Each structure stands twice: as structure tokens, then as C-alpha cells.
């Protein structure tokens, strides 16, 4: 774990001919009027050097844009006087290996548990979220991946199941947010990608109508749970007064697209109102804490972070702006303020090699009633979506021109766009570093080393990050800490997908392939399916009997997209919801 692949990789020695033009470019880009006199000779020299060896310039730009590995540049050919031309064609062999992995996962599920909400690949059985019966959690979550992969036989059986067996008439509590992102989102993408098969829209409308009553609260924030048969919202029994920021603010893409399709504005209005409540409740520091009070609509004193219960709040600020084709400036402004706040308070560097990571701010209540805030250098695997999200934001919200180049040129980005781009590139590097474990898979939670962590030079702790509770002697029969697991999560490959599309740098494909290989080696169950592993630092790995639905909807979809041709789901035409269900970007219809 301590030996980081990234840091061990040999840096190419930089000779002076490479260093020189880079410095020139940087000085031109960053200097003001007083260098005008110098500019002409420099430009001439630069022009000649460019003509002689255009690759040097690509390197310099890439390096400036956050790439330090000059050996891995995703540039196919660079022509003098032309824009950089990138090779985005499919890597057919690798792409098809991902398709076979999907078939390995789906085939086992279909054989053992068709229609059940969840799948357990080791015991080879399914289970439902509640005793009231399944709601198509796994089937609907997987359909759009089949459509993208061209798996027509699997698809036609899945469609048949939706048409004849799926029911939402279930008298039990379902999580509002999970049901929206997985089932409603899955139906909406299936509708679009199937060429508007009306079956899916019908089901989507039925499901949303059953959920709409959750929004009928004094604050208009939706309740955590919904009884789909009774059409009633209910509280989270664990936190009866609270709702999660991420959960209430991660329904909007789905509800708005449904309004657009159904010409019924109710979904839009309910979802939009939530954002108004949040905007009004935000404190001057601009960070969203993880809980809101659903009666008052106010934030509750609780942790601030980019991980669980907050993550997709930030993701959807950006994506709401993108879904309606960058017309709703309300979201752009909220996103900009949020990114300023995140940079001010949550982005930190580790002590040893200055690894960019995110921290959490945790409240502590003292006996006298006072609250103080503690910075905790803890980063959930979930946060690894954020690197890619920052790149997407930098090239849209943070861009001065549309569309930007691939990779963007420094002068195409605003100051905050440039800041976000650099943080994004570095955060992805850090997330890849958390894959330098015995299995090559990243833990659920990583703690970063900061000066004040009190660990000092303790040799059991690696210099940049560690898995809490995994130090010291562990008995063979003892369960590793929860933080040590990898549960097939998609967030790192999600960021690699965005980084690849926005830079064309082959290194992101290489990294994605490494992760896929590690999944094949450690998570694959021979009889079918993939399983969670409980300790990323243990080989041979121990598996746990669960295949999360996001394996088929997200992890394998993002891997597929990384190796597919870039004309599949182009980023200027699609926004992917937080469960990787693609929704087409649209223009809001004028009010008649
Ligand atoms: C899940 O629910 C469906 C629909 O009610 C039912 O047919 C199936 O048997 C249930 N599966 C399990 C494992 O209980
Ligand atoms: C729903 O379930 C509750 C408790 O499980 C039960 O009391 C109620 O009668 C059920 N309602 C319907 C309409 O089935
Ligand atoms: C988005 O807006 C641009 C103009 O800014 C337009 O050219 C483009 O067609 C729009 N996209 C969609 C999907 O409507």
C-alpha cells in the first residue's frame, strides 16, 4: 500500500530543448502588457520550434494542463497550424472484454435471480429490498448498458420482464433517492436509447406519480422514504427529523427530464423547489452540510464533505446546468460558489508527496453546548467521482469558449476553470494512488497523512494515506475494518471516463484497464457474477456474497465507454445521472 505505483514510475529526464519552449509558452500565457515587446521574437522562435517538432508543444501544453507524464500522451498526430487531432476510436479487444464481463454478471443474475432486486453471486440467489416484493432494481438498472453494448438477446428478455412482471404496487418503504436514480433514471435512459419505446415512459410516469407525495412537507424537501403502494412519504427511522443533502438534491435530472417527456410540469416544479430551499438555507461559507431539517428547510449542524450524503449534491449542481443546455444560470452560479467553498475548505494536500485529497469537517459538541469543527483527512471512495466532475465543470462552466479544445488550452479556461481543472487532474491521480494496494483495488475509505495527525514516524503508517484500523497484527479469523473493502464501486472509472474524453490521454485507458484486470482477478466469481472483497490489501482476497446493482449500471458501463468509440454518448449531447444513466441534453420548451 505504501509503495505508490505513481511515485515509483521513473520520470523521464527533461533535457533543455524540452524545457525551453514550455517556459516560453508559460511566460506568454501568464505575462501582461509589459512583455509585448518581447513577444514577437519569442513567437517567431516558438513558431520555428513548433514547425520542427510539434510534439514538444503538445507535451508542454499537456504538462501545463496537469500532465507530468510526458511518456503518455494521447495525441495521435499534431499538424503545424492545426488543432491537436486526437484518436478516439474504439479499442475493440478491450471493449469486447468488458462486454463479456457484463455477460458474466448478467448471465448469472438472470439464471439465479431474474427479477429480484439484488443478487448474491456466491450463494447464487437473489433477494428483494423489502418483503413486499421486488421493484426491478437490478433489471432496470442494467437495461441501458445492454442497449449501449448491443446485447439484443439479453435486452429483449429484460424488456419482456419489465412489460409483464414489473410492479410498483409494493406496500413497503423504499428509499426515495435510490429508487429515483436507479429505477426512474434507468427507465428514462431505456426510453431514450431504445428509440422511445413507450413502455418505459409509461412505467416512469407511474413510478414518479407514486413518489410525488414525498415532496408534500412544510419545507417542500422530500422525505427519505416512500411507500409505493400507499403513495406516502415517510421519515428515515434512524434520523426522523433529517433528510440528506445529497438525497434531496439528486432527484432533479430525472424529474425534470420526465416533465420534458410527459409535458407534465409537476415533477419539474417539485424538484426545482428543493433547490430553492437549499439555496436559501446555505450559510455564507457556501458548503452544504450533510443533513437538512425537512420541517424547517434549514441545514442541521452536521459534517461537511464531498463523500456520502453530500456527494451528488455537488454533482447535480453542475449537471442540472448542463442538462438544460447551459441556460439556467441559477445552477451555474450555485456550482461556482460551491466550488469556491470546496477549494477554500475541503481540498488539502498530504504531508509527504503533497497528494491532493478532500477532507471532511466534523462538528464536535462540547459539554457547555458549544460546537467546534475538526478537519478530518478522510476521503470516501465515493469522492473519486469528483475529479472527473471537476474536469467536466472546468470545460463547461469554467470555459471561456464553447466547445473547448481537447485537452483544453489554458487560454480557453477562466481562472476558476483552470483551478478546477488542475484539482481534478490531481484528484484523479490521488484516486489512482489509492489503487496501489495488494489487489490493485481501492478501499472504501482512505485517511490521508497530515502534519497534525499525531502519527508521526510510526512505521506501520505509510507516508501519504492509510486504511484506518488496518494497522498492526490482525488475526486471520478477524474481520478487516469496513473501510478496507472494495464493493465494485464505479467512482474512479467514472472519473477516468471523463478524463479520457476531455484530454484524449491514453494513460486514462491504461489505468482503467489496470482496474478492470484487478476486478477480474479478485472480484470475479467463477460460477457467474462479481463479488465485493472485504480487504483490498489481502491476497488471496476474501469475497463477500454481494454484487451491487451499480456493477452493471455504472462500473461496467464506464469501463465500456472508456474503450468504445467516443461517438457513443458524446459529452456535448448527454448528461449521465449519478447512477450512470444517460439523459439527453435538451432545451427548455418555451412556456406557451
Ligand atoms: C422478489 O419479489 C418478486 C416479486 O414479488 C418475487 O417473485 C420473488 O420471489 C422475490 N424474490 C425473493 C428472493 O424473495
Ligand atoms: C400495508 O401494510 C401495512 C403494514 O404492513 C398494513 O397494515 C396495511 O393494511 C397494508 N395496506 C394495504 C393497502 O395493503
Ligand atoms: C444547445 O444550445 C446550442 C446553442 O448554444 C445549440 O447550438 C444546440 O443545438 C443546443 N443543444 C440542444 C441539444 O438543444
Amino acid at each position: 500500500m505504501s509503495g505508490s505505483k505513481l511515485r515509483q514510475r521513473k520520470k523521464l529526464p527533461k533535457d533543455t530543448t524540452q524545457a525551453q519552449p514550455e517556459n516560453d509558452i508559460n511566460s506568454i500565457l501568464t505575462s501582461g502588457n509589459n512583455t509585448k515587446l518581447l513577444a514577437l521574437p519569442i513567437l517567431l522562435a516558438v513558431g520555428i520550434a513548433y514547425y520542427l517538432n510539434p510534439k514538444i508543444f503538445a507535451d508542454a501544453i499537456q504538462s501545463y494542463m496537469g500532465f507530468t507524464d510526458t511518456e503518455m500522451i494521447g495525441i495521435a498526430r499534431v499538424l503545424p497550424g492545426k488543432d491537436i487531432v486526437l484518436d478516439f476510436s474504439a479499442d475493440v479487444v478491450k471493449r469486447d472484454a468488458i462486454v463479456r464481463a457484463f455477460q458474466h454478471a448478467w448471465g448469472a443474475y438472470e439464471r439465479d435471480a431474474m427479477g429480484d432486486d439484488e443478487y448474491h453471486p456466491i450463494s447464487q440467489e437473489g433477494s428483494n429490498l423489502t418483503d413486499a416484493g421486488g421493484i426491478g432494481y437490478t433489471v432496470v438498472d442494467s437495461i441501458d448498458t445492454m442497449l449501449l453494448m448491443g446485447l439484443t438477446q439479453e435486452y429483449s428478455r429484460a424488456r419482456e420482464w419489465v412489460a409483464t412482471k414489473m410492479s410498483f404496487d409494493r406496500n413497503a418503504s423504499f428509499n426515495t433517492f435510490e429508487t429515483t436514480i436507479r429505477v426512474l433514471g434507468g427507465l428514462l435512459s431505456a426510453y431514450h436509447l431504445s428509440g422511445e419505446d413507450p413502455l418505459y415512459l409509461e412505467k416512469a410516469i407511474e413510478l414518479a406519480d407514486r413518489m410525488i407525495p414525498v415532496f408534500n412537507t412544510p419545507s417542500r424537501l422530500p422525505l427519505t422514504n416512500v411507500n409505493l403502494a400507499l403513495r406516502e412519504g415517510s421519515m428515515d427511522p434512524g434520523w426522523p427529523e433529517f433528510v440528506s443533502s445529497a438525497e434531496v438534491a439528486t432527484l432533479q435530472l430525472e424529474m425534470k427530464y420526465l416533465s420534458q417527456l410527459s409535458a407534465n410540469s409537476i415533477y419539474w416544479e417539485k424538484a426545482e423547489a428543493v433547490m430553492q430551499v437549499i439555496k436559501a438555507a446555505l450559510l455564507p461559507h457556501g458548503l452544504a452540510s450533510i443533513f437538512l431539517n425537512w420541517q424547517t428547510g434549514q441545514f442541521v449542524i452536521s459534517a461537511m464533505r464531498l463523500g456520502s450524503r453530500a456527494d451528488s449534491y455537488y454533482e447535480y449542481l453542475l449537471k442540472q446546468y448542463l442538462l438544460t443546455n447551459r441556460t439556467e444560470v441559477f445552477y451555474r452560479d450555485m456550482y461556482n460558489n460551491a466550488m469556491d467553498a470546496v477549494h477554500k475548505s475541503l481540498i488539502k494536500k498530504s504531508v509527504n508527496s503533497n497528494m491532493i485529497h478532500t477532507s471532511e469537517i466534523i462538528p464536535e459538541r462540547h459539554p457547555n453546548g458549544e460546537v467546534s469543527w475538526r478537519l478530518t483527512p478522510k476521503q470516501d471512495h465515493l469522492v473519486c467521482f469528483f475529479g472527473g466532475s471537476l474536469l467536466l465543470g472546468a470545460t463547461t462552466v469554467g470555459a471561456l469558449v464553447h466547445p473547448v479544445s481537447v485537452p483544453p488550452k489554458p487560454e480557453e479556461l477562466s481562472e476558476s476553470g483552470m483551478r478546477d481543472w488542475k484539482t481534478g487532474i490531481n484528484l484523479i491521480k490521488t484516486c489512482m494512488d489509492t489503487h496501489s494496494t495488494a489487489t490493485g483495488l481501492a478501499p472504501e475509505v482512505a485517511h490521508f497523512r497530515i502534519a497534525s495527525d499525531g502519527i508521526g514516524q510510526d512505521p506501520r503508517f505509510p507516508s501519504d494515506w492509510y486504511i484506518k484500523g488496518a494497522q498492526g497484527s490482525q488475526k486471520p479469523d478477524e474481520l478487516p475494518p469496513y473501510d478496507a473493502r472494495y464493493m465494485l464501486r464505479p467512482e474512479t472509472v467514472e472519473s477516468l471516463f471523463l478524463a479520457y474524453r476531455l484530454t484524449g490521454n491514453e494513460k486514462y485507458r491504461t489505468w482503467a484497464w489496470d482496474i478492470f484486470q484487478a476486478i477480474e482477478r479478485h472480484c470475479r466469481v467463477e460460477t457467474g457474477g462479481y463479488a465485493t472483497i472485504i480487504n483490498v490489501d489481502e491476497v488471496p482476497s476474501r469475497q463477500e456474497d454481494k454484487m451491487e446493482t451499480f456493477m452493471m449500471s455504472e462500473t461496467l458501463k464506464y469501463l465500456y465507454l472508456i474503450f468504445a468509440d467516443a461517438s457513443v454518448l458524446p459529452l456535448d449531447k448527454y448528461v449521465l445521472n449519478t447512477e450512470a444513466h444517460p439523459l439527453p441534453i435538451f432545451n427548455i420548451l418555451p412556456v406557451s
Side-chain angles (χ1 to χ4, degrees):
M1 177 168 87
S2 56
S4 135
K5 275 182 212 151
L6 287 174
R7 271 175 290 124
Q8 280 169 358
R9 193 186 295 136
K10 214 172 71 206
K11 283 251 161 70
L12 285 185
K14 271 200 175 163
D15 62 39
T16 44
T17 51
Q18 281 201 345
Q20 207 49 54
E22 179 177 342
N23 290 341
D24 286 347
I25 277 199
N26 285 345
S27 68
I28 290 169
L29 291 170
T30 54
S31 62
N33 289 337
N34 50 354
T35 54
K36 255 189 190 146
L37 285 174
L38 273 177
L40 190 62
I42 290 176
L43 276 175
L44 252 173
V46 166
I48 292 166
Y50 183 32
Y51 181 76
L52 293 175
N53 189 352
K55 188 173 173 298
I56 288 174
F57 284 85
D59 290 356
I61 290 170
Q62 298 249 334
S63 170
Y64 189 84
M65 298 308 290
F67 300 117
T68 48
D69 301 326
T70 46
E71 77 274 25
M72 288 201 194
I73 297 166
I75 293 171
R77 58 204 170 90
V78 181
L79 301 175
K82 291 252 170 73
D83 283 329
I84 294 167
V85 179
L86 297 145
D87 177 12
F88 273 117
S89 55
D91 182 330
V92 175
V93 172
K94 295 195 170 82
R95 182 197 65 190
D96 292 352
I98 313 287
V99 174
R100 283 194 300 278
F102 180 89
Q103 289 177 301
H104 183 74
W106 173 263
Y109 165 77
E110 191 178 5
R111 176 192 69 206
D112 301 331
M114 183 63 185
D116 293 349
D117 287 332
E118 301 193 290
Y119 182 51
H120 309 280
I122 296 171
S123 56
Q124 302 183 23
E125 48 187 32
S127 63
N128 289 322
L129 296 168
T130 74
D131 292 339
I135 55 169
Y137 224 50
T138 296
V139 177
V140 176
D141 224 7
S142 309
I143 284 182
D144 59 4
T145 310
M146 296 172 187
L147 285 166
L148 289 169
M149 291 181 171
L151 296 172
T152 48
Q153 294 182 6
E154 287 88 345
Y155 169 70
S156 68
R157 295 193 297 270
R159 184 196 181 279
E160 183 63 16
W161 186 88
V162 171
T164 58
K165 302 253 175 66
M166 189 167 75
S167 169
F168 297 133
D169 195 20
R170 305 293 186 210
N171 181 8
S173 264
F174 295 88
N175 180 283
T176 305
F177 153 78
E178 298 285 0
T179 307
T180 301
I181 65 168
R182 301 193 201 208
V183 188
L184 183 59
L187 288 167
L188 293 170
S189 285
Y191 175 72
H192 174 78
L193 293 175
S194 64
E196 311 199 340
D197 182 337
L199 168 70
Y200 300 114
L201 183 55
E202 224 170 80
K203 296 286 180 190
I205 291 172
E206 184 198 335
L207 177 58
D209 287 346
R210 289 173 184 271
M211 296 203 299
I212 277 294
V214 300
F215 291 95
N216 299 337
T217 61
S219 66
R220 298 183 293 168
L221 294 176
L223 290 173
T224 302
N225 292 324
V226 59
N227 183 311
L228 292 175
L230 306 182
R231 300 169 188 246
E232 265 173 21
S234 62
M235 286 99 78
D236 179 343
W239 308 95
E241 294 161 46
F242 305 159
V243 289
S244 298
S245 307
E247 294 194 1
V248 299
T250 311
L251 315 164
Q252 285 68 22
L253 295 181
E254 297 80 0
M255 292 294 175
K256 289 177 168 184
Y257 182 49
L258 182 61
S259 270
Q260 182 77 6
L261 291 177
S262 64
N264 179 350
S265 62
I266 183 155
Y267 317 111
W268 190 300
E269 287 157 12
K270 298 285 185 187
E272 174 97 354
V274 174
M275 301 311 297
Q276 307 286 349
V277 173
I278 292 181
K279 175 91 194 303
L282 280 172
L283 299 173
H285 58 59
L287 291 174
S289 47
I290 60 172
F291 286 120
L292 289 144
N293 181 308
W294 61 264
Q295 277 165 320
T296 64
Q298 297 299 311
F299 279 105
V300 174
I301 293 177
S302 52
M304 288 177 275
R305 61 180 175 226
L306 286 149
S308 63
R309 295 188 184 272
D311 46 3
S312 49
Y313 159 71
Y314 296 100
E315 177 187 354
Y316 270 35
L317 288 181
L318 172 62
K319 289 183 172 176
Q320 288 181 79
Y321 179 60
L322 299 182
L323 184 70
T324 49
N325 206 10
R326 306 198 312 263
T327 52
E328 296 174 282
V329 292
F330 176 82
Y331 294 108
R332 182 197 61 197
D333 296 346
M334 263 183 103
Y335 177 75
N336 274 332
N337 291 339
M339 291 308 101
D340 288 347
V342 164
H343 275 87
K344 211 173 291 163
S345 310
L346 300 181
I347 303 284
K348 303 286 166 192
K349 289 178 179 171
S350 66
V351 274
N352 188 49
S353 41
N354 287 333
M355 248 181 222
I356 295 282
H357 63 270
T358 66
S359 283
E360 303 191 356
I361 301 177
I362 313 273
E364 282 172 342
R365 204 176 281 277
H366 300 282
N368 65 3
E370 269 176 32
V371 173
S372 65
W373 296 87
R374 185 164 49 88
L375 192 78
T376 309
K378 162 177 174 283
Q379 181 173 293
D380 295 349
H381 186 284
L382 287 169
V383 178
C384 287
F385 86 94
F386 190 54
S389 179
L390 280 167
L391 301 187
L392 187 62
T395 53
T396 51
V397 173
L400 302 171
V401 294
H402 294 287
V404 294
S405 312
V406 178
K409 300 186 173 112
E411 67 270 23
E412 293 172 341
L413 303 185
S414 68
E415 201 179 311
S416 61
M418 190 54 130
R419 174 200 65 194
D420 293 357
W421 178 269
K422 287 180 176 169
T423 306
I425 292 283
N426 283 314
L427 199 54
I428 294 172
K429 254 190 230 171
T430 301
C431 285
M432 282 313 297
D433 196 81
T434 64
H435 282 260
S436 7
T437 58
T439 55
L441 295 167
E444 178 70 0
V445 181
H447 275 77
F448 285 81
R449 297 292 312 277
I450 53 171
S452 59
D453 60 13
I455 292 170
Q457 298 296 312
D458 188 332
R460 291 172 306 157
F461 290 85
S463 51
D464 281 299
W465 65 271
Y466 61 98
I467 301 169
K468 199 171 186 178
Q471 285 67 39
S473 54
Q474 212 143 11
K475 298 189 195 83
D477 56 344
E478 221 169 44
L479 279 184
Y482 188 83
D483 289 5
R485 63 186 41 222
Y486 173 67
M487 49 169 96
L488 306 168
R489 283 202 189 280
E491 285 74 18
T492 304
V493 290
E494 169 179 352
S495 279
L496 294 180
F497 160 67
L498 290 165
Y500 181 64
R501 286 285 179 91
L502 296 171
T503 65
N505 193 319
E506 281 296 321
K507 118 179 132 180
Y508 296 113
R509 272 190 168 171
T510 307
W511 287 352
W513 187 247
D514 290 345
I515 293 177
F516 176 64
Q517 299 281 69
I519 291 174
E520 284 289 302
R521 205 169 299 129
H522 300 286
C523 305
R524 184 183 173 95
V525 177
E526 267 326 298
T527 49
Y530 291 82
T532 296
I533 59 165
I534 61 172
N535 186 355
V536 294
D537 261 330
E538 181 185 280
V539 175
S541 36
R542 273 181 287 170
Q543 293 181 330
E544 192 178 78
D545 194 11
K546 177 130 192 215
M547 179 169 86
E548 295 277 353
T549 77
F550 46 68
M551 176 62 173
M552 288 194 282
S553 72
E554 296 191 71
T555 310
L556 291 171
K557 184 186 286 140
Y558 282 122
L559 284 165
Y560 174 83
L561 290 171
I562 290 169
F563 295 104
D565 191 280
S567 62
V568 184
L569 301 184
L571 292 177
D572 61 344
K573 301 223 160 48
Y574 287 92
V575 171
L576 281 81
N577 91 340
T578 195
E579 187 75 0
H581 295 304
L583 307 174
I585 290 173
F586 58 85
N587 280 317
I588 307 174
L589 294 174
V591 185
S592 52

